[in-house]
């Protein structure tokens, strides 16, 4: 497989660099940290690509290896993606039998963004319409297709390739995130897309390519390679905290609500700074004023379980005393039996106790529990 090339102003990082243009040049020499999640995502993408290519009739292709990742889970989620993709392809082919279907297509949008290109998971080009579909294997954050710059850049790349062949007026975009059970869809007219490309994208991309523009911190910092040491982000975090704690007297309810809102971001940022500093100490011997390196707490464990059992038995302890037998967990049991069999055989014997009451932001997907009727005071 050829090495994967990444554009400096890539489509996948466009959300960040459109908000903070100088982040591109500020991070260009920082290498990407390998991550098990990224590796898992690539593996799932390869499987998704394989399934779509097979569906499209490509012969002589081998399924990718799933390495140490959960093959059954990857299979299930890539099936969801395949199902969605095939529905879209078939629906479009009904009205346009010669629609072009592009899998893992390099999409060049360098007429708007210096050296800009990306790889679209799936693009369908038909009369009047381009459909861009992106597969995301993450399960952390739900990604919306609405005004999603990565998708809009892919669409521009696809228009560059096909606009002269088809009279395209609309771009449809979908992000399939099967592990979150979410499919997000959005569409925009080609006229509006081109207006955005000329008047918003192009000038900001120019700033980014030249290392100009203002640093601007926000939730887009999450995937920035400078996030742990960025001064602007530190100022932003500390400013937010300062503002929230501005009143010296007791906090008001509104202030407490404000602190609850920013606390997760502050905690995450502090963790990132800590992880950065700790990694530099361990990997480079860097010293930080007021800090030292120690061994963390560890748990005792058997060095050799069969040797331990043998010694105990020789010394008169019974097998039933030194071993305990327990059922495998529910998730493993469900995997063993399969979902349908699990439900049929064991469904009546599985209970789901109520979870511990937890305060979460309104945006959380879980349903609100009504505990307020028991309190006299109106909240
Ligand atoms: S951490 Fe945030 S503010 Fe700093 S360079 Fe990155 S995106 Fe910009």
């Amino acid at each position: 497989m050829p090495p994967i090339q990444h554009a400096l102003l890539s489509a996948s990082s466009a959300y960040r660099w459109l908000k903070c243009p100088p982040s591109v040049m500020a991070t260009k020499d920082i290498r990407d940290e390998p991550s098990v999640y990224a590796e898992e995502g690539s593996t799932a993408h390869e499987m998704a690509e394989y399934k779509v290519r097979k569906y499209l009739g490509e012969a002589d292709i081998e399924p990718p290896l799933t390495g140490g990742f959960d093959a059954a889970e990857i299979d299930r989620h890539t099936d969801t993606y395949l199902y969605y993709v095939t529905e879209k392809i078939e629906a479009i082919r009904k009205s346009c039998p010669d629609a072009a279907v592009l899998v893992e297509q390099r999409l060049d949008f360098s007429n708007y963004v210096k050296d800009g290109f990306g790889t679209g998971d799936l693009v369908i080009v038909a009369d009047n319409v381009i459909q861009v579909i992106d597969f995301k294997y993450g399960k952390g954050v739900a990604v919306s297709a609405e005004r999603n710059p990565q998708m809009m850049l892919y669409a521009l790349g696809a228009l560059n390739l096909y606009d002269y062949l088809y009279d395209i007026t609309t771009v449809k975009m979908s992000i399939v995130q099967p592990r979150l059970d979410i499919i997000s869809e959005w569409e925009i007219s080609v006229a509006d897309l081109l207006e955005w490309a000329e008047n918003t994208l192009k000038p900001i991309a120019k700033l980014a390519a030249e290392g100009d523009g203002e640093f601007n911190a926000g939730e887009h910092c999450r995937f920035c390679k400078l996030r742990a040491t960025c001064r602007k982000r530190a100022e932003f975090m500390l400013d937010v905290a300062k503002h929230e704690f501005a009143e010296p007297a007791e906090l008001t309810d509104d202030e407490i609500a404000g602190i609850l809102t920013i606390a997760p971001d502050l905690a995450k940022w502090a963790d990132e700074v800590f992880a950065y500093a700790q990694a530099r100490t361990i990997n480079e011997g860097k010293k930080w004023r007021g800090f030292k390196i120690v061994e963390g707490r560890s748990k005792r464990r058997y060095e050799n379980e069969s040797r331990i059992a043998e010694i105990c038995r020789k010394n008169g302890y019974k097998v039933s005393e030194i071993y305990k037998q327990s059922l495998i967990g529910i998730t493993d049991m469900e995997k063993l039996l399969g979902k349908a069999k699990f439900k049929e055989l064991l469904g009546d014997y599985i209970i789901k106790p109520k979870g511990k009451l937890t305060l979460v932001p309104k945006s959380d997907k879980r349903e609100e529990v009504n505990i307020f009727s028991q309190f006299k005071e109106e909240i």
Side-chain angles (χ1 to χ4, degrees):
M1 197 191 285
I4 297 170
Q5 286 185 309
H6 293 290
L8 208 49
L9 278 86
S10 68
S12 57
S13 62
Y15 177 61
R16 171 182 47 81
W17 59 254
L18 282 167
K19 300 245 182 203
C20 179
S23 65
V24 173
M25 287 302 159
T27 57
K28 75 176 176 29
D29 296 324
I30 304 175
R31 64 184 170 84
D32 284 312
E33 288 300 325
S35 110
V36 69
Y37 302 112
E39 220 183 295
E40 187 186 38
S42 303
T43 307
H45 264 87
E46 283 169 20
M47 183 60 81
E49 178 187 350
Y50 164 77
K51 288 186 178 181
V52 175
R53 287 191 188 282
K54 264 277 182 233
Y55 166 78
L56 293 171
E58 280 191 38
D60 301 329
I61 49 172
E62 293 289 322
L65 300 173
T66 48
F69 299 113
D70 188 331
E73 193 183 15
I74 289 178
D75 192 43
R76 199 167 67 246
H77 293 312
T78 49
D79 270 357
T80 306
Y81 170 70
L82 178 69
Y83 183 69
Y84 180 81
V85 162
T86 51
E87 262 196 340
K88 290 285 176 199
I89 295 173
E90 294 314 324
I92 289 178
R93 276 178 173 168
K94 268 188 194 142
S95 56
C96 178
D98 62 344
V101 180
L102 316 171
V103 184
E104 288 293 311
Q105 173 70 36
R106 182 183 161 109
L107 299 166
D108 188 311
F109 43 85
S110 56
N111 49 334
Y112 299 103
V113 175
K114 187 173 183 291
D115 301 328
F117 69 90
T119 307
D121 290 337
L122 196 105
V123 180
I124 311 168
V125 190
D127 294 335
N128 301 326
V129 69
I130 283 182
Q131 169 81 57
V132 182
I133 305 178
D134 196 47
F135 173 65
K136 296 211 181 291
Y137 200 61
K139 57 179 178 181
V141 182
V143 184
S144 167
E146 187 171 346
R147 298 208 73 80
N148 184 302
Q150 179 181 8
M151 305 299 282
M152 291 162 87
L153 288 174
Y154 289 160
L156 289 170
L159 275 176
N160 283 339
L161 278 178
Y162 281 95
D163 201 25
Y164 70 98
L165 277 181
Y166 298 80
D167 186 18
I168 299 159
T169 54
T170 307
V171 176
K172 295 185 176 185
M173 304 168 194
S174 311
I175 295 179
V176 183
Q177 241 180 319
R179 286 170 111 189
L180 288 177
D181 223 0
I182 292 175
I183 295 175
S184 173
E185 297 179 330
W186 187 64
E187 69 175 66
I188 184 172
S189 70
V190 168
D192 286 349
L193 180 69
L194 294 179
E195 192 278 327
W196 171 80
E198 276 300 331
N199 299 320
T200 303
L201 173 68
K202 216 169 173 176
I204 300 180
K206 186 167 184 295
L207 289 176
E210 291 167 1
D212 283 341
E214 299 284 320
F215 282 97
N216 170 37
E219 44 122 11
H220 53 276
C221 298
R222 190 182 314 143
F223 297 113
C224 180
K225 286 185 276 187
L226 209 65
R227 65 188 178 279
T229 55
C230 175
R231 179 172 301 281
K232 190 71 189 179
R233 190 175 186 221
E235 284 168 3
F236 173 78
M237 287 296 178
L238 297 171
D239 258 13
V240 174
K242 234 189 287 170
H243 171 74
E244 299 297 341
F245 290 100
E247 290 293 322
E250 198 176 354
L251 298 170
T252 65
D253 286 358
D254 267 357
E255 284 169 332
I256 291 174
I259 293 163
L260 290 174
T261 308
I262 60 162
D265 281 345
L266 276 175
K268 193 154 189 301
W269 170 65
D271 283 349
E272 284 162 359
V273 176
F274 196 88
Y276 166 83
Q278 182 168 270
R280 284 203 59 196
T281 301
I282 292 170
N283 300 329
E284 301 166 26
K286 164 87 184 151
K287 290 196 168 183
W288 303 99
R289 180 166 37 85
F291 282 82
K292 63 182 178 184
I293 200 94
V294 296
E295 276 193 2
R297 298 188 199 292
S298 66
K299 272 182 163 177
R300 295 183 302 164
R301 61 181 173 82
Y302 297 129
E303 193 191 359
N304 179 334
E305 291 201 3
S306 40
R307 178 88 186 108
I308 295 278
E310 188 190 328
I311 293 170
C312 290
R313 281 205 308 272
K314 272 189 186 155
N315 284 277
Y317 294 94
K318 293 187 210 134
V319 168
S320 60
E321 286 178 299
I322 61 171
Y323 279 107
K324 66 177 177 193
Q325 203 175 27
S326 61
L327 275 177
I328 57 175
I330 292 184
T331 309
D332 288 338
M333 187 69 86
E334 197 173 32
K335 268 186 201 162
L336 180 72
L337 274 62
K339 266 193 190 304
K341 198 87 181 158
F342 177 86
K343 199 168 167 210
E344 179 197 332
L345 295 179
L346 308 178
D348 290 344
Y349 305 99
I350 305 294
I351 46 167
K352 193 167 186 308
K354 280 186 183 305
K356 196 171 154 209
L357 292 176
T358 311
L359 192 63
V360 296
K362 277 268 184 215
S363 55
D364 191 285
K365 280 201 314 188
R366 285 167 288 183
E367 204 180 316
E368 183 163 19
V369 181
N370 185 2
I371 56 162
F372 303 112
S373 51
Q374 60 185 298
F375 302 106
K376 282 193 197 112
E377 200 181 324
E378 201 170 302
I379 298 179

